Amino acid sequence: MKQLNLFLTSLFFFLCTASHAQGAAKSVNIDSLIGLMTVEEKAGQMTQIDLGVIAEGGICNLKNPQTLNLEKLKTAIAKYHIGSILNVGCGSGTIALDNWHKILAMVVAENKKNSRLNIPIIYGIDAIHGANYTMGATLFPQQIGQAATWNPLLVQQLYGITAYETRASGIPWNFSPVLDLGRQPLWSRFFESFGEDVFLAKSMTKSAIRGLEGNTSNSPYAVASCMKHFLGYSMPLSGKDRTPAWISDRELREYFLPTFQMAIQQGAKTVMINSGEINGTPVHTNYDILTTLLRNELGFKGVAVTDWEDVYKLVNVHHVAETKKEAVRMAIMAGIDMSMTPNDFEFTELLVQLIKEGTIPMARIDQSVKRILQLKVDMGLFNETRFNKNLYPLFGSTKHASVSYNGAAESLTLLKNKDQILPLNAAKETILACGPAANSLNLLNGAWTHTWQGIDTRFNTPGKLTIQQAMQLQMAKTNFNYVPGCTTDSIINIEACVEAAKKVSKIIVCLGETPCTELPGNIDDLSLSEPQQQLVKALSALHKPIILVCCFNRPRIIKNVAPLADAILYAYLPGDEGGRAIADALFGKINPSGKLPFTYPANVNAFVHYDHKSSEDLDVDFSNNAYRPQFDFGFGLSYTTFEYQTFKMSTNSLGDKDSVTISVAVKNTGSREGMEVVQLYYHDLVASITPSVKKLVAFQKIKLAPQASQTVTFTLHKTDFSFINKALKRVTENGEFELLIQNQKQSLYVH
Ligand code: BGC
């Protein structure tokens, strides 16, 4: 009787608050709701399944167009009470907007019928560079290209549109951005990172989270972001995906933690966990990382979801648990809230057993369920009118495409331009375009494009232009030719390419890398593939100007072909508007302004970062010349030139409560408009942890008309010069520092 009374009182409270809150922001009484839930319902909330589990056709083999199987859906809801669904059914391809609406409406309807408490199900998706799993969505440059823009406001706009178009599909949760620092160029997901530098990546993180989460609660244009993959995923020792990382606690905090800290400060609602291990402990079992650090120290209050099948992988990949049941216990007790199970319900069943046996305390479960329900409340999922498809007229619009174009345009990084060979005059030149990236939308977009690996061409958005198509549009037909020459990994017709090249004045070789990510993207050698090298070498025998355009997932070694080229335009993975942007840069309609967000290695075994230690400068002849990258971090040319005046400092002495203002006047000394990224670095001369030779501490991108000048000002405090010391504390140690802008340096004394 007492229990019945409690149930009725709780139901009353829950329903009152539920109906009261319909319409605008909803305030569901989560504690009351939890009080009504059975063990099975709680375990269900903590379960996330793949679309394949409830779709016609079965896992990884969905019917096209994708349709749900009513019986399977009913089982998932009525029997297992699932809390979340994800993905597009592995490998099955992108889903049309209308079909998304149909699928999600069916989930909502069945949930209403079959879920006792009608707790909404939350759908999550990888909208990695735009809503890439919705047909016709706007596709942006991948994160590495976004970072190359050094334009945080533009990047925020891209994420705002990604949120808008993801919500247009009906999906409120996006597994983005990747906040793993890109310091291992071999890693197959290098392109998914914001590059190697902590400060630049933090700036981009701020933009990404603000863009995705929006600034008003319950906005129909915002999604819950998911900072991933916490923590230390991007630095596997071997460079292979999900293989062991050896990272000290100090380095974890110095390099890999700050982006996540920034995301939490900006209100990121969810986090996804690193599938790999650090120092022998799989992160999914690491209480120190998932609870002590993430919750207690950083104060993160949102939902922690596992990565793909990672609870089971504790048994069958990592071998730290004998049984799946033990794996479930380990992961939940370490701090996981939701398991991306995703292909069956064994996790759910085992969790129910563990709770009923008392092996996992109810208080621990309630903590996770509360976070999950809070996410659903925050995303407005309890509201009846939570989705109105008419709110998204700009989905896939030219307006959105023009923002994507700007992103691509500002990312393009001019690495070489001998004798100002670029830009080309479309009216005067005869041109041959060749190479694997010249005529492929997929090579411009990379993985996470319509399908997971991004290789399937069937779902590409009609009307989007490849590089050669976009160039052709700007030239007389008879002056332009395209011959592929080779694919990314095999020769097609290099002789034909050379023959065609004999008839033209300029040769554009578009180098590329087959789209790939995660395990399928593992490689043993960072070198540019042999066929592509052969293509450039064969063409160079003609002694005609060669321009390389590079569309790589990671910095493939080009030291053998770079000297053969007169110009190199590095395009990263620029997305659907990349073809247009590249053609416009080659023909001078836009002036490249991207700067490398990573150090471009010259050799396969020379992965030294720009912020390396002095000891890494020591060469075999004992000189200080060992750091010899192909191109430096922050480097990128322009079609115009900029001159920096001597920079000024408001003081050269900085105490605890002081600030120092650094100002520098920059002039465009050329004859065309251009954008410049003013970069401020510092060098800590002596510190208790070996200092880097330089570290980025501030930057600003400016646009200057020909002959115009602008003074850029940065204000810094003592904390801007901090690092993690041996005791794992963030400190600034007193002493002499150098401030560096271009090739100028001045001393600052910190006390
Ligand atoms: C990836 C995640 C992704 C998840 C869901 C995993 O394999 O590591 O980044 O969000 O799949 O698709």
Side-chain angles (χ1 to χ4, degrees), residues 86-87 126 175 189 228-229 242 272 307-308 340 448 518:
L86 89 152
N87 217 340
D126 294 287
F175 305 135
R189 307 188 73 168
K228 67 187 193 185
H229 308 76
R242 291 168 160 87
M272 191 183 294
D307 201 343
W308 191 266
M340 190 186 286
W448 304 107
E518 302 188 49

Side-chain angles (χ1 to χ4, degrees), residues 155 267 285 356:
V155 171
T285 66
K356 288 192 170 164

Side-chain angles (χ1 to χ4, degrees), residues 436-697:
N439 197 30
S440 166
L441 265 186
N442 295 65
L443 265 66
L444 293 177
N445 276 297
W448 304 107
T449 301
H450 311 303
T451 58
W452 175 41
Q453 293 299 312
I455 355 186
D456 200 326
T457 55
R458 285 174 302 161
F459 308 102
N460 289 347
T461 307
K464 299 298 175 192
L465 301 178
T466 64
I467 302 172
Q468 73 92 10
Q469 288 167 341
M471 291 186 77
Q472 200 166 114
L473 281 181
Q474 301 195 36
M475 295 191 66
K477 252 207 158 88
T478 46
N479 291 345
F480 182 83
N481 195 3
Y482 159 67
V483 180
C486 64
T487 67
T488 50
D489 297 303
S490 60
I491 291 170
I492 304 176
N493 52 357
I494 291 186
E495 289 89 0
C497 211
V498 173
E499 276 314 302
K502 287 180 181 163
K503 304 188 189 96
V504 299
S505 57
K506 301 282 180 325
I507 307 163
I508 315 286
V509 190
C510 303
L511 304 172
E513 182 168 357
T514 305
C516 56
T517 187
E518 302 188 49
L519 194 75
N522 282 353
I523 52 171
D524 291 313
D525 185 349
L526 198 58
S527 307
L528 178 67
S529 73
E530 270 301 318
Q532 298 192 68
Q533 293 200 38
Q534 280 181 34
L535 176 66
V536 181
K537 284 177 189 162
L539 290 165
S540 77
L542 299 176
H543 302 292
K544 291 192 174 191
I546 292 180
I547 291 119
L548 301 182
V549 176
C550 303
C551 304
F552 297 150
N553 304 346
R554 48 204 144 189
R556 303 307 293 250
I557 303 300
I558 53 170
K559 73 163 181 184
N560 294 333
V561 294
L564 309 178
D566 294 81
I568 302 173
L569 186 67
Y570 200 84
Y572 311 87
L573 298 171
D576 265 347
E577 305 305 324
R580 286 205 295 135
I582 290 168
D584 286 351
L586 294 174
F587 292 135
K589 288 193 176 159
I590 53 175
N591 186 354
S593 63
K595 307 278 174 190
L596 284 178
F598 54 82
T599 310
Y600 204 119
N603 292 290
V604 284
N605 291 325
F607 300 157
V608 181
H609 304 108
Y610 89 91
D611 56 349
H612 57 274
K613 308 295 180 75
S614 280
S615 55
E616 293 171 279
D617 278 340
L618 278 182
D619 210 349
V620 285
D621 62 358
F622 301 98
S623 67
N624 279 323
N625 294 318
Y627 175 64
R628 286 188 296 262
Q630 187 78 42
F631 301 105
D632 212 348
F633 171 85
F635 176 70
L637 301 164
S638 166
Y639 294 155
T640 187
T641 45
F642 299 98
E643 202 176 274
Y644 284 63
Q645 302 284 299
T646 306
F647 73 84
K648 296 193 181 104
M649 287 165 54
S650 60
T651 174
N652 64 358
S653 142
L654 187 67
D656 282 337
K657 296 203 171 82
D658 305 338
S659 63
V660 54
T661 303
I662 297 111
S663 53
V664 63
V666 183
K667 182 174 181 191
N668 178 351
T669 48
S671 56
R672 57 173 298 167
E673 183 185 82
M675 283 188 264
E676 171 69 333
V677 180
V678 181
Q679 303 168 36
L680 175 65
Y681 296 86
Y682 75 91
H683 173 203
D684 189 350
L685 266 62
V686 178
S688 62
I689 294 291
T690 54
S692 297
V693 295
K694 65 178 201 175
K695 260 176 174 300
L696 184 70
V697 65

